[in-house]
Amino acid sequence: MCDSNDIKKRMEECGIRPTPVRMLVAGTLCEADAPLSLLDIETRLDTAPKSTIFRALTLFEQHHIVHSIEDGSGSL
């Protein structure tokens, strides 16, 4: 199980401001038992703006919190 304090601490250590949507995205990734696509995350967080989710993931990737994998269909 993912603790929100641990997620917040990790973000702060990486120099990322833990906004509510970033916390939701990180929590969703942390709780997943398999890799998630952008579409998977958007579906799970249907109230969060898609562009904000994308920006959060891009920021996480830039800070090496997550990494992308091409699935062969052109999706990451």
Side-chain angles (χ1 to χ4, degrees):
M1 183 141 174
C2 301
D3 181 87
S4 62
N5 290 325
D6 291 340
I7 294 170
K8 182 178 177 182
K9 182 180 174 185
R10 172 79 170 134
M11 281 189 198
E12 289 171 344
E13 288 172 352
C14 292
I16 298 172
R17 190 169 46 94
T19 64
V21 173
R22 290 176 186 164
M23 293 290 293
L24 283 172
V25 172
T28 299
L29 290 168
C30 185
E31 292 173 354
D33 58 354
L36 297 175
S37 68
L38 176 59
L39 182 59
D40 294 332
I41 297 168
E42 289 172 352
T43 301
R44 292 177 188 211
L45 301 176
D46 63 344
T47 59
K50 293 178 181 183
S51 60
T52 306
I53 294 170
F54 177 79
R55 285 193 305 271
L57 290 172
T58 301
L59 183 64
F60 294 166
E61 187 174 24
Q62 290 170 348
H63 288 282
H64 307 287
I65 294 174
V66 300
H67 62 274
S68 62
I69 302 169
E70 187 171 340
D71 69 356
S73 71
S75 294
L76 295 177

